[in-house]
Amino acid sequence: MLRTLRRQPKWMLLILGGVVLVSIKRIFTDFNIDCEYAIALSYRMVKGDHMIAQMWEPHQTSAFLNAFFIAIYLFLTGTTTGIALYLNAVGLVVKLGVAYLFYRTFRRFCNKNILFLMLAFFLTVNAKESIILEFSNMMIYFSILLLCALLMHFQTQQRRPLFLVLAAVCFCLEVLSYPSAIILFPMLLAVLYHYSGTKCRDIMLFTGICVLNGGIFLGFLVIQTGWDRFLECVQFIVMGDNTHPIGGFTEKFGVYIADLGAIVALFAMCALLSVLIIRLFFQKRVENPKACYVNAFFVLVLLENFLQALLDRREDIQMWRAGALYSAIYLPVLLLAYRLRKYCSKDQKMALQIGMAISIMGGIAALLLTNMPFITTL
C-alpha cells in the first residue's frame, strides 16, 4: 500500500492527507445546534413518540436513520453517554459507503484524477458543517444513490428492473429526508422517458413503487393518529413553524446576492493564484497550461476547504459564512461541465445531464424550505 501511495502525484497525496485530517477532526468536533436537534428528534422516536401526533418538528420524517443507530447503541450500552461521538462516526462510515458506491458507478465515466477530486470534495464537504445523518446530509446521500441507481439501470440496458426499484426506493427516502424533494418526481419521469429503452414499463414501475411506499407511510401515520387528528396536527405543524417557511424568496433575494458577491471574490482569488503558480513554477514543465490552470484552481479551493474545516470558526457567524464559501465550487463546476460537454462520450453526457438535473432540482427543493443562506443551501 505504501508503495502504491509513493507512486501517486504529490498533489494527490496532499489532498488525501487533508481528507483524512478533516474526517478525523469532524468526528470529535462537529457538534452544533442542528446536530443536537437531529439527535433529540431521533431519540424521541426511539423512546416511542409518534410522528405527527406527538412530534411536530418539520424534519421529523428524517429521524428514522439516526433512530435506527441510536436504538442499536442504547441496546448495546444502556446509556446515552458518548452517543454524539458514536453518531458522528456512523455518519462518516455511511459517507464512506456512499463514496464507494459513487466510485464504483463513475469509474466507467471519469478518469482517475477527476474521480479522485470529486470524491475528495464529497468527503470533506458536509451540509452545515455537520457529518451526522441529519436531513441535509441524508438528502445529499440519497440523491447520489438515486443517480447511481439510475445510471446502473441505463447501463445494464434495463435487462432487470433491480436498479430501477432501488432508484425508486432512494427517491422515496430522499423525500422522507427533505419533503420538498417531491418536486424531483416529474423530472425523474422525464429522465426515464428520455433515456429508457422500455419507457412505459419503467415509468409505470417507478411511479408504482413511489405511490406504494407513499401510501404505506401515509396509512401508517393515519392509523396511528386517526384521520381527523392527523389533519389537525399537519395543519399545526405547517402553520406553527415560522423558521422554515415555504417560499419567501423576495426576502431572501438580497441575502443571496450578497453571498454571490463573496463567492465571486473567493473564486477570482483562487483563479489568480492558480495562474501565478503555474506560470511561475510549472510553465516550462507542462504541455497544456489551460488544463493545469483548471486543476490548480480546484486544488486551491479544496485546500481552502481543509483550512476552514480545521480552523473551525463557527462561533463567529461572519467567519463561518466566509468559511463556507468553498461549497459554492458547485457553480463553476456546473459551468465548466456544461462548457466541456461536447468532448464527452454519449454515456458521459447522459451521466452529466442526469446528475445536473437531480442536483439543480435538489437545490431548488432545498431553497423552498431552508432558513439557511444561499451558500449553505448550495
Side-chain angles (χ1 to χ4, degrees):
M1 182 177 178
L2 290 175
R3 188 179 302 173
T4 302
L5 288 174
R6 291 192 190 101
R7 289 199 297 264
Q8 304 305 317
K10 291 182 179 180
W11 66 266
M12 194 174 285
L13 294 177
L14 180 65
I15 289 177
L16 181 61
V19 170
V20 173
L21 286 175
V22 170
S23 298
I24 294 174
K25 177 260 180 188
R26 289 199 185 284
I27 293 178
F28 294 99
T29 65
D30 273 14
F31 308 107
N32 54 33
I33 189 170
D34 286 310
C35 177
E36 297 166 2
Y37 173 59
I39 294 175
L41 201 59
S42 299
Y43 182 78
R44 289 179 59 196
M45 182 175 288
V46 172
K47 288 300 182 179
D49 281 6
H50 292 164
M51 285 189 291
I52 304 298
Q54 294 167 297
M55 299 170 63
W56 285 13
E57 293 81 3
H59 305 101
Q60 59 184 277
T61 56
S62 67
F64 66 94
L65 202 51
N66 271 330
F68 172 75
F69 291 109
I70 288 175
I72 294 175
Y73 188 83
L74 294 177
F75 176 78
L76 294 176
T77 66
T79 179
T80 57
T81 302
I83 199 167
L85 284 173
Y86 160 75
L87 290 174
N88 274 354
V90 167
L92 177 59
V93 171
V94 170
K95 192 167 193 178
L96 288 171
V98 174
Y100 176 73
L101 292 175
F102 182 87
Y103 164 77
R104 293 277 304 205
T105 303
F106 275 81
R107 61 182 177 177
R108 67 191 70 195
F109 300 109
C110 307
N111 68 50
K112 66 174 184 179
N113 289 346
I114 297 298
L115 187 55
F116 176 81
L117 284 173
M118 291 167 70
L119 289 172
F121 188 75
F122 170 67
L123 288 172
T124 54
V125 173
N126 294 288
K128 295 180 292 187
E129 297 302 302
S130 177
I131 200 169
I132 196 172
L133 294 173
E134 50 86 54
F135 52 92
S136 300
N137 284 325
M138 288 168 61
M139 182 186 184
I140 294 171
Y141 299 166
F142 287 126
S143 292
I144 292 173
L145 294 177
L146 168 63
L147 172 61
C148 292
L150 285 174
L151 293 178
M152 290 302 298
H153 175 66
F154 297 135
Q155 284 289 302
T156 55
Q157 299 180 355
Q158 303 91 33
R159 289 191 297 270
R160 293 179 300 173
L162 172 62
F163 288 110
L164 184 62
V165 173
L166 292 175
V169 171
C170 289
F171 174 64
C172 293
L173 293 174
E174 181 177 355
V175 173
L176 284 181
S177 304
Y178 216 94
S180 59
I182 191 69
I183 68 170
L184 274 73
F185 183 71
M187 179 273 296
L188 293 172
L189 295 185
V191 166
L192 290 174
Y193 181 82
H194 184 73
Y195 290 106
S196 176
T198 52
K199 304 180 190 301
C200 292
R201 186 204 71 171
D202 286 359
I203 290 175
M204 290 179 65
L205 180 60
F206 186 87
T207 303
I209 293 172
C210 292
V211 171
L212 177 63
N213 287 332
I216 292 173
F217 181 71
L218 181 61
F220 171 75
L221 294 179
V222 172
I223 290 173
Q224 269 194 337
T225 60
W227 182 249
D228 292 338
R229 176 67 172 160
F230 173 79
L231 291 178
E232 183 182 18
C233 291
V234 168
Q235 182 180 4
F236 288 149
I237 292 170
V238 173
M239 301 301 294
D241 179 65
N242 58 5
T243 61
H244 293 79
I246 298 176
F249 291 110
T250 303
E251 295 79 4
K252 298 176 184 177
F253 187 73
V255 179
Y256 290 168
I257 293 298
D259 287 343
L260 282 173
I263 292 168
V264 170
L266 171 66
F267 291 158
M269 186 181 302
C270 288
L272 177 62
L273 286 175
S274 65
V275 172
L276 291 175
I277 290 171
I278 296 301
R279 289 194 173 183
L280 291 176
F281 301 104
F282 301 99
Q283 183 71 36
K284 297 180 180 179
R285 288 183 282 173
V286 297
E287 297 179 359
N288 189 350
K290 290 184 178 180
C292 291
Y293 295 152
V294 174
N295 287 339
F297 172 80
F298 288 116
V299 169
L300 286 171
V301 174
L302 272 172
L303 292 178
E304 198 269 348
N305 172 13
F306 298 150
L307 178 64
Q308 294 293 347
L310 292 172
L311 289 177
D312 195 12
R313 301 175 180 177
R314 284 170 299 199
E315 293 182 3
D316 187 328
I317 187 62
Q318 295 303 322
M319 292 304 298
W320 177 83
R321 291 181 69 177
L325 289 175
Y326 67 85
S327 60
I329 192 67
Y330 174 83
L331 296 175
V333 166
L334 272 182
L335 293 174
L336 182 63
Y338 185 79
R339 175 79 175 175
L340 299 178
R341 72 191 187 285
K342 60 184 177 181
Y343 301 107
C344 297
S345 66
K346 182 179 178 181
D347 287 343
Q348 288 173 332
K349 286 181 180 178
M350 177 185 69
L352 171 65
Q353 290 166 355
I354 298 174
M356 288 179 67
I358 292 175
S359 187
I360 291 172
M361 291 301 294
I364 295 172
L367 286 170
L368 287 174
L369 290 182
T370 188
N371 61 350
M372 302 299 289
F374 182 70
I375 295 171
T376 307
T377 306
L378 284 176

